[in-house]
Amino acid sequence: MFYWYKQKKALPGSDIGGFTRILHSGNPDNLVDEIPTFVVYPLPQGLDQGYVVLNRPWAFVQWLERATIKEDYVLMAEPDHIFVNPIPNLAVVEGSPAAFPFFYITPQKFENIVRKYYPVEMGPVTNIDPIGNSPVIISKKLLEMIAPTWMNPSLTMKHDPDTDKAFGWVLEILFSVLMRYGYAIASALHGVRHMLRRDLMLQGELTYGKIGEWRFDKRLHLRGPPPRNISMPPPGVPESVVTLVKMVNEATANIPNWDTR
């Protein structure tokens, strides 16, 4: 991600400012000298139930409180996102935060669950945008307001058996789903609506291909970096997959000491 941030930052049409990697381990790691990093503390032991993604809202709260942030707007993105094009400040263009809509964030479908965190007196559940916290472009002022509230429903949802069961349709992404619902509900509790921008992200597949044939699965590289020069996919695969592999290969070819990380 950081490699492509540097490639796209200065191009025409880009409003991107500084870059910060928020590390919620509590300790510096081997990348802090290479990538601008702000180290924050994880949740108290046991609160994340062993799922590190639940630390994310608390990490943002600490970053917003303790860091010196020069920019007035923030783009929240994931470590496995790649900058394909220069990104304008859509929050200024639209006059409100901009976010990518996810097909599986459906508050109306789970209204009985959502109402535990977004009471009837707050209005219809359609006030809750079908989004997560990433990718989102939002003013720092609004994020400072939302972040502490975002932390509460995210943790409460994971501890509630009904919510856990309802949103656990794909266990491997359950915690990302909880983070997204938590952010969406927190935003609605503060009356913040996001402009839905499908062009903010190209949503591909994290796993493409079949075992035994050509295959790309980011989860195969959780304990180490993917190899350099990944083989190109066969004819007929979506162009987005071809672009992804080409961009990963270019980045790994140009990042020093890639194989020893």
Side-chain angles (χ1 to χ4, degrees):
M1 180 187 193
F2 186 53
Y3 173 86
W4 284 107
Y5 154 80
K6 292 187 292 184
Q7 305 305 309
K8 305 296 182 180
K9 177 183 177 182
L11 294 180
S14 171
D15 290 324
I16 293 293
F19 185 102
T20 302
R21 168 181 173 250
I22 303 176
L23 178 63
H24 52 65
S25 65
N27 297 293
D29 65 4
N30 63 331
L31 295 177
V32 296
D33 293 329
E34 180 179 351
I35 303 174
T37 301
F38 192 84
V39 180
V40 297
Y41 295 103
L43 289 164
Q45 187 173 6
L47 270 185
D48 66 4
Q49 301 184 59
Y51 299 100
V52 294
V53 71
L54 291 176
N55 287 276
R56 186 178 301 169
W58 173 226
F60 271 97
V61 169
Q62 295 175 79
W63 177 64
L64 290 163
E65 288 180 347
R66 293 166 40 204
T68 300
I69 306 169
K70 297 179 181 179
E71 290 78 10
D72 294 323
Y73 290 83
V74 175
L75 164 63
M76 292 185 283
E78 306 282 342
D80 59 356
H81 287 172
I82 294 177
F83 289 86
V84 177
N85 295 308
I87 300 180
N89 188 344
L90 296 174
V92 169
V93 173
E94 302 289 0
S96 64
F100 179 83
F102 290 95
F103 72 90
Y104 52 80
I105 304 298
T106 52
Q108 299 97 310
K109 181 178 178 180
F110 298 103
E111 182 166 0
N112 62 320
I113 298 294
V114 170
R115 282 302 185 192
K116 294 184 178 184
Y117 315 99
Y118 189 75
V120 173
E121 56 266 28
M122 295 299 299
V125 293
T126 51
N127 288 346
I128 302 172
D129 294 322
I131 62 169
N133 77 291
S134 170
V136 165
I137 302 174
I138 188 170
S139 72
K140 182 173 61 177
K141 183 177 180 180
L142 284 179
L143 186 57
E144 288 172 338
M145 178 176 66
I146 293 169
T149 308
W150 171 27
M151 185 170 62
N152 295 327
S154 299
L155 291 173
T156 306
M157 284 178 176
K158 182 62 191 115
H159 287 85
D160 178 65
D162 293 335
T163 304
D164 202 41
K165 181 179 179 180
F167 293 158
W169 53 276
V170 180
L171 184 60
E172 64 198 23
I173 66 167
L174 167 61
F175 307 104
S176 293
V177 171
L178 293 181
M179 286 300 96
R180 290 178 175 134
Y181 266 101
Y183 176 82
I185 291 172
S187 297
L189 288 170
H190 288 285
V192 176
R193 300 301 303 267
H194 296 68
M195 184 65 64
L196 304 182
R197 295 290 302 247
R198 294 189 180 277
D199 58 344
L200 185 54
M201 182 174 74
L202 177 61
Q203 189 175 27
E205 298 185 40
L206 64 86
T207 303
Y208 193 90
K210 298 180 180 179
I211 295 176
E213 301 177 5
W214 188 92
R215 179 177 173 83
F216 180 81
D217 185 347
K218 68 178 184 180
R219 295 167 300 186
L220 297 176
H221 309 292
L222 295 177
R223 298 186 180 277
R228 283 176 162 154
N229 197 27
I230 298 172
S231 63
M232 295 304 297
V237 305
E239 188 62 29
S240 59
V241 178
V242 176
T243 299
L244 171 64
V245 174
K246 286 181 177 178
M247 295 184 77
V248 169
N249 282 344
E250 179 178 331
T252 59
N254 287 283
I255 297 175
N257 305 314
W258 177 261
D259 295 325
T260 59
R261 293 170 182 274

